[in-house]
Amino acid sequence: MTTGSSRHGSGRSSEGERRVLAVVLAGGIGGIIVLILVFLLRAESSEDSSEITGKAFAPAPATDLEAAPLGQFRASFTDVARSSGIVHAQSTGATGERLLPETMGSGVSVGDLDGDGDPDLLLADYGGVPRLYRNDTTPGGPMRFTDVSDGSGLEAVTGTTTSALGDIDGDGRLDVLFGRVGGDPLYRNTGEMTFVQTEVLGIGWTTAAGFFDADGDLDADLLVASYVDWSPDLDRQVDFKLDGLGRAYGPPTGFPGTDLKLFVNDGTGFLSEESEARGLQIRRSDRDVPVMKALGLLLVDIDRDGDIDILVANDTTANRLFLNDGSGAFSEDAARLGVAFDLDGNATGAMGVDFAREPETGELLFAVGNFANESSSLYRQRDGIAFRDESAISGIGFPTRNPLTFGTLLLDLDLDGLPDLVQVNGHIEPEILRVQKGQMYRQSAQVFRGVDEVGRFRGVGVEQLDDLARPIVGRAAASGDLDGDGDYDLVLTRLDDVPLVLRNDLDPDGGDVLSIRIRGRMAAAGGEGVRLDVTDAEGEVLWTGELSRTRSYLSQSQPLLLLGVAGRTFPLQIRASFPGRDAITRSIGSAGAIIIDAPGSEE
């Protein structure tokens, strides 16, 4: 009592109290020093291992991204959707109930569906029916697309979220699986842009799917990923609300998780579901329920052993990485290999995902677009098969924190030899500005230019991007050379609106670009999973990586390599490695369009 009265009366402490305080402070400072030393020792020990367990400590940047000024970003984009003939607005199907599927959008697939060598467009439509656009662009002319949906056999499909393209029966034509909220119908391509439904595979809310050779027998198997176990009644029971808005579009946390579904092809086109037997169904440690809430899907050889592995980007739950043993048996290893969580050990609101490889080492780079108020994730493979989260030092960390990102692509937009990062943004809540300052419903896409090395980026100003920077409620993002001029064009879908068909106005000289396409059947149709290695006459590796359709968000892109080769020493060596088949090597003396036929693809 006396000590307390003295402190409050004089504002000073007694000598005894000062001694006690000094001891407490000294102990606290000592404890902090011990923690710092433990932290540094753990970080140092993590550098000695080629495999990272749990969250990894990012190394110091190899270069100073701001050290040298960059010239003008040479790629720019013009929306030619309406002028090229694409006028269909993809519908959310919203009725005013604020049901979760209305927020997620409808996807796009870019692929040669009529076999004439140029990429066509297939637009999913959750609130309507899909639209099929034939590419009628002539060489050197403006983009032209013709709506051939009527009479295609696709007129009765409803509730579609995405689609996947692959040659299921080995006839050389791309068949189509439609992902839906409901059963997923499979359509066989009968030629001339017409399709016949053959079966319905599973029931769920499919958000990503892809054809690939899972078991090494050279045919096209099918992987299907779903978001959450959803129904309108369950959504109404969850009844998510925001202060000041009432009922609103909520997160997936109130809904049960899902399982991957793997449909194995018997070689004739008959598919059997074998996900559990193949190790693709995983459960919570505390109870027997599925754990995945998948939005992004990659099919890529992660451990570089010649077969295709699986990376799944999950919304608010851990990402999952399944390694293939070569026979189609998978083991889940995301946490040990460092891609399950972000640098802080948290699961993110993961949406779209894409990958690139470092040419000299073949090491992978994964980019994951995340929810608003979360930086995008950038996982870099280092000295083995494990990854580090390097988003904070890559140049994308802070600039990607505010937007809500869906579509995500890594591709060389300006053909300078380094992959650029494209992020398509847009919020889920139309009135978000009323409850979160600084958030907008419509948001501009972002482009981060590759600089210095693979995995290092610098933001490109919106004034350089033209129509790509237009604020939209963006969702899917896909790529392809739609007009055949040697650069990557983009297709971005948006809610309740016509997609943006973005012509890349880079317009490279034909002698400065190497274009490589794969022509094949079954698993090799279009080059899915085929690895390309390109070296110049001096032995420098210009590019390495797999071609892939299945990437980004709700999307399938044209499996195509466009490589800027101006100033390179010819002849160039191209090595195409086909899973389960012999590699093909080609030597070319000049740039241009190259078509490589897969072994066994002849008529």
Side-chain angles (χ1 to χ4, degrees):
M1 290 292 292
T2 303
T3 303
S5 300
S6 172
R7 182 190 305 129
H8 291 294
S10 66
R12 298 174 182 268
S13 301
S14 68
E15 183 177 350
E17 287 177 309
R18 287 196 299 271
R19 290 175 180 170
V20 172
L21 181 60
V23 172
V24 172
L25 288 174
I29 292 170
I32 292 172
I33 292 172
V34 170
L35 288 173
I36 291 173
L37 289 173
V38 170
F39 178 91
L40 292 174
L41 288 170
R42 290 180 63 187
E44 184 177 29
S45 66
S46 71
E47 294 287 354
D48 296 334
S49 173
S50 64
E51 295 184 347
I52 309 303
T53 303
K55 68 175 185 178
F57 296 102
T63 59
D64 182 356
L65 297 182
E66 304 300 328
L70 293 176
Q72 178 79 10
F73 186 66
R74 297 190 302 127
S76 61
F77 298 87
T78 302
D79 178 26
V80 296
R82 286 181 170 83
S83 66
S84 68
I86 296 176
V87 297
H88 176 71
Q90 293 165 293
S91 170
T92 62
T95 61
E97 287 195 83
R98 302 287 178 114
L99 300 177
L100 189 57
E102 301 164 3
T103 70
M104 305 306 286
S106 305
V108 57
S109 288
V110 180
D112 184 8
L113 289 162
D114 57 359
D116 65 353
D118 56 25
D120 310 298
L121 301 182
L122 179 60
L123 301 176
D125 195 337
Y126 176 69
V129 296
R131 307 305 296 184
L132 178 61
Y133 286 93
R134 185 182 65 219
N135 192 337
D136 290 329
T137 304
T138 57
M143 284 191 205
R144 290 285 183 265
F145 291 93
T146 302
D147 189 337
V148 293
S149 307
D150 295 340
S152 67
L154 306 178
E155 300 91 335
V157 192
T158 59
T160 55
T161 57
T162 187
S163 57
L165 310 179
D167 180 14
I168 198 73
D169 49 11
D171 63 1
R173 294 188 288 260
L174 290 178
D175 307 303
V176 179
L177 176 90
F178 281 105
R180 299 178 63 247
V181 179
D184 298 335
L186 179 65
Y187 282 80
R188 305 293 176 96
N189 188 335
T190 59
E192 302 298 324
M193 302 291 268
T194 57
F195 299 83
V196 174
Q197 181 180 325
T198 60
E199 56 192 310
V200 177
L201 302 175
I203 295 177
W205 177 355
T206 297
T207 46
F211 291 93
F212 75 117
D213 183 8
D215 51 5
D217 62 358
L218 307 184
D219 55 28
D221 307 304
L222 173 65
L223 184 71
V224 176
S226 300
Y227 190 29
V228 294
D229 185 2
W230 178 88
S231 70
D233 287 343
L234 179 56
D235 204 328
R236 296 182 189 107
Q237 292 172 25
V238 171
D239 196 25
F240 181 80
K241 294 180 179 179
L242 284 174
D243 291 342
L245 293 182
R247 181 169 169 82
Y249 295 115
T253 50
F255 300 89
T258 62
D259 283 316
L260 292 178
K261 294 188 284 288
L262 177 65
F263 297 91
V264 176
N265 196 331
D266 70 351
T268 68
F270 177 78
L271 299 172
S272 58
E273 207 283 304
E274 299 183 10
S275 57
E276 184 176 6
R278 301 280 180 164
L280 292 174
Q281 290 189 4
I282 52 178
R283 294 293 183 268
R284 286 184 55 137
S285 59
D286 57 344
R287 58 184 185 275
D288 187 25
V289 295
V291 299
M292 286 196 287
K293 299 181 180 181
L295 289 178
L297 176 65
L298 287 181
L299 305 171
V300 58
D301 185 3
I302 291 166
D303 51 5
R304 286 169 280 178
D305 62 353
D307 52 42
I308 304 300
D309 308 304
I310 300 166
L311 178 76
V312 183
N314 287 303
D315 187 2
T316 70
T317 67
N319 301 321
R320 299 290 174 173
L321 189 158
F322 296 88
L323 295 178
N324 191 341
D325 72 352
S327 68
F330 294 86
S331 57
E332 204 284 312
D333 217 5
R336 184 178 68 90
L337 296 182
V339 297
F341 307 103
D342 68 7
L343 187 61
D344 296 321
N346 299 318
T348 64
M351 308 288 186
V353 62
D354 203 2
F355 75 96
R357 286 193 187 272
E358 203 285 324
E360 288 293 338
T361 65
E363 291 172 336
L364 278 165
L365 181 77
F366 288 140
V368 181
N370 291 321
F371 201 78
N373 305 316
E374 295 177 321
S375 298
S376 295
S377 300
L378 202 68
Y379 299 99
R380 178 72 176 268
Q381 209 169 35
R382 294 280 191 181
D383 302 324
I385 65 171
F387 294 81
R388 302 177 187 276
D389 182 349
E390 297 193 356
S391 53
I393 63 170
S394 68
I396 71 166
F398 182 76
T400 62
R401 188 166 183 80
N402 195 58
L404 198 169
T405 299
F406 283 89
T408 305
L409 288 170
L410 278 168
L411 68 165
D412 189 1
L413 294 176
D414 57 354
L415 299 180
D416 67 350
L418 289 169
D420 310 302
L421 174 62
V422 182
Q423 298 200 158
V424 179
N425 305 320
H427 213 280
I428 64 170
E429 180 54 62
E431 298 176 90
I432 188 62
L433 184 58
R434 290 176 52 187
V435 293
Q436 289 188 29
K437 288 185 178 181
Q439 279 292 351
M440 302 296 293
Y441 186 46
R442 290 176 174 81
Q443 301 178 5
S444 295
Q446 294 169 289
V447 172
F448 296 89
R449 179 181 182 179
V451 294
D452 298 328
E453 62 173 290
V454 173
R456 297 292 182 263
F457 300 92
R458 194 183 300 181
V460 177
V462 293
E463 70 281 356
Q464 300 184 56
L465 301 176
D466 297 313
D467 288 341
L468 178 54
R470 184 189 307 175
I472 61 173
V473 190
R475 292 298 184 260
S479 66
D481 188 1
L482 301 180
D483 52 4
D485 67 349
D487 54 29
Y488 290 107
D489 308 301
L490 302 173
V491 182
L492 314 184
T493 71
R494 44 187 178 163
L495 297 190
D496 286 324
D497 213 335
V498 177
L500 299 184
V501 178
L502 294 164
R503 184 190 67 216
N504 189 338
D505 295 325
L506 180 64
D507 294 332
D509 185 280
D512 292 340
V513 180
L514 177 64
S515 170
I516 304 177
R517 290 194 296 116
I518 303 296
R519 189 163 50 196
R521 297 172 180 272
M522 298 292 278
E528 182 69 50
V530 175
R531 175 164 174 164
L532 296 176
D533 295 277
V534 183
T535 57
D536 65 12
E538 298 176 355
E540 182 179 354
V541 181
L542 306 184
W543 197 87
T544 186
E546 295 90 339
L547 300 180
S548 180
R549 287 192 180 90
T550 307
R551 54 204 295 202
S552 190
Y553 169 77
L554 300 183
S555 305
Q556 298 257 289
S557 290
Q558 182 185 13
L560 169 77
L561 173 60
L562 298 176
L563 183 64
V565 293
R568 296 297 182 176
T569 306
F570 286 80
L572 303 181
Q573 300 295 321
I574 303 171
R575 179 180 174 85
S577 302
F578 297 82
R581 294 181 170 96
D582 294 333
I584 294 175
T585 301
R586 296 272 297 272
S587 178
I588 61 169
S590 62
I594 304 295
I595 298 176
I596 298 177
D597 288 308
S601 63
E602 298 81 6
E603 291 288 347

